[in-house]
Amino acid sequence: MAPGSGGSGTGGREEAAPDGARGRDFPSRDAAAGSSDSEDCLVIMARATIYVGCTVPQLLRGAQSRIFPSDSALGVLRRSAFCYCTGSSTIKSKRKMDHLERTANNFRQEVITQAKVCGITNESETVKRLRLAIANKDFTFKAGQWVDFFIPGVSVVGGFSICSSPSLLKREGILELAVKYTVHPPAHWIHTECTLDSEVALRVGDLHGYQEGKGNRHKLGTVKLYYSAKTTSELLFKKNILGLMKAFPGKITCCFHVTQQRSQICEELQPHVTEGRISEKDLEKHVSNDTSWYICGPPPMIESISKLLANIGVPRNCVFFEKWW
């Protein structure tokens, strides 16, 4: 299941996405799943009835004065990004498209909101979790959406999956991102220059153009998560996942896979860890007519798991993923 980190089910199959984690062949958004050689991946199957609601994607074309005052540095940044986003799609070259070009036809909210960094923690050796305080009460998002990430002084705009829940924003005014280290300017800035109280700007976007009061409605049965990484230290949010398993015994289960583990696995994780990649044998026992499959990871992993699922008889319309890279 493409979680997302935070995941949204998209028509399982191939669609367009921003750059840096859910099918299409697109270069990376700077999300936690970061670079294309990463082994981090997720496969989730859920017995659920899924209803998808979408509207026609649209590009932001609103008045700039609604967002920031004209003399604001972030306002200047927003205006340059606005011009770039609406005008650059006509330029053709052999270089790879960046986040704004790649997602130019996707839905975006009209509001660009200022945010202040209020927390930076190392989620793993290569991933930082960024906590952002947002004062604007009109700023909202839905699970599975991303943010355009504007950094003063950095001309390249990032695109990051939101890894926190909408309820955290509503309750505490906090939004969280998990960003893997890459040389891409926004991700590099987060890992090397970002400090507490750094100010940035955010704009919410997604693939489907969800509007307030609409979106996906799920009747959830049981969820089985297969989560693979090189080592247990690269298994992001493992404490959260273990907590969910305890809170919903029998409803949510997880099997962690590690492919290059050299150190001893901690006692808490041991019952849930398998060495080696996710295999056909792992997945075939879950095949049924009422199971949906969601995949998140680098394109080679998505392609490999998709073929594996086809081989064990999973219908194509039950498999959902997006390729961010």
Side-chain angles (χ1 to χ4, degrees):
M1 183 191 284
S5 5
S8 65
T10 72
R13 306 134 304 198
E14 310 215 357
E15 305 179 13
D19 29 293
R22 278 173 262 258
R24 318 141 292 226
D25 296 304
F26 287 70
S28 128
R29 215 167 51 170
D30 310 301
S35 60
S36 60
D37 59 353
S38 169
E39 292 195 15
D40 299 356
C41 58
L42 293 166
V43 179
I44 307 176
M45 62 285 305
R47 275 185 192 169
T49 305
I50 301 176
Y51 304 88
V52 180
C54 26
T55 61
V56 178
Q58 57 187 2
L59 186 65
L60 166 64
R61 300 188 187 278
Q64 298 165 10
S65 59
R66 294 181 55 194
I67 312 303
F68 294 110
S70 59
D71 57 350
S72 164
L74 288 176
V76 173
L77 191 155
R78 187 242 183 235
R79 288 194 293 274
S80 65
F82 174 83
C83 296
Y84 183 82
C85 191
T86 56
S88 62
S89 61
T90 60
I91 300 173
K92 293 183 178 180
S93 72
K94 292 183 179 180
R95 67 177 178 79
K96 289 184 178 180
M97 291 187 292
D98 71 7
H99 168 64
L100 287 185
E101 291 175 296
R102 189 168 304 285
T103 61
N105 292 321
N106 290 116
F107 170 86
R108 281 177 164 81
Q109 292 182 1
E110 292 192 3
V111 176
I112 293 183
T113 297
Q114 191 167 352
K116 182 177 289 188
V117 177
C118 61
I120 307 173
T121 57
N122 292 323
E123 191 65 30
S124 75
E125 293 180 0
T126 59
V127 176
K128 286 189 181 293
R129 185 193 292 214
L130 210 60
R131 286 176 62 86
L132 299 166
I134 298 172
N136 183 356
K137 300 300 182 183
D138 294 328
F139 181 90
T140 61
F141 74 93
K142 294 186 180 296
Q145 294 181 318
W146 79 78
V147 290
D148 296 334
F149 194 84
F150 302 93
I151 306 165
V154 177
S155 61
V156 179
V157 177
F160 300 110
S161 293
I162 303 168
C163 68
S164 56
S165 67
S167 62
L168 179 64
L169 176 65
K170 186 176 182 179
R171 190 172 62 248
E172 301 180 24
I174 297 294
L175 177 147
E176 294 186 336
L177 307 174
V179 182
K180 188 162 186 172
Y181 176 82
T182 71
V183 296
H184 193 253
H188 189 265
W189 179 86
I190 288 171
H191 278 261
T192 61
E193 298 183 47
C194 180
T195 62
L196 291 177
D197 295 328
S198 290
E199 293 188 353
V200 296
L202 309 174
R203 175 176 57 194
V204 173
D206 71 32
L207 301 176
H208 308 296
Y210 293 143
Q211 295 181 346
E212 201 62 37
K214 297 183 179 180
N216 288 351
R217 294 172 295 165
H218 300 267
K219 293 180 181 178
L220 185 62
T222 60
V223 174
K224 175 73 176 185
L225 169 67
Y226 286 89
Y227 186 176
S228 177
K230 291 179 181 179
T231 66
T232 55
S233 65
E234 287 293 325
L235 292 168
L236 308 182
F237 311 115
K238 49 186 173 286
K239 290 184 178 180
N240 304 71
I241 294 170
L242 291 174
L244 287 170
M245 292 169 62
K246 291 178 181 177
F248 301 96
K251 299 289 275 185
I252 299 177
T253 56
C254 178
C255 182
F256 297 107
H257 284 249
V258 291
T259 59
Q260 298 182 27
Q261 186 76 19
R262 298 291 180 266
S263 60
Q264 185 173 356
I265 297 171
C266 72
E267 187 175 341
E268 185 181 24
L269 278 179
Q270 279 181 1
H272 311 289
V273 174
T274 298
E275 295 199 31
R277 296 180 183 275
I278 300 167
S279 69
E280 182 175 310
K281 184 178 179 180
D282 295 317
L283 304 183
E284 61 185 0
K285 54 192 170 187
H286 301 289
V287 176
S288 73
N289 293 332
D290 58 352
T291 298
S292 297
W293 302 75
Y294 298 82
I295 312 171
C296 181
M301 173 267 175
I302 290 177
E303 291 160 9
S304 174
I305 295 294
S306 296
K307 291 177 182 177
L308 186 155
L309 293 175
N311 291 340
I312 60 177
V314 176
R316 182 177 174 82
N317 62 359
C318 292
V319 180
F320 300 85
F321 58 84
E322 297 167 2
K323 292 180 184 176
W324 298 115
W325 297 277

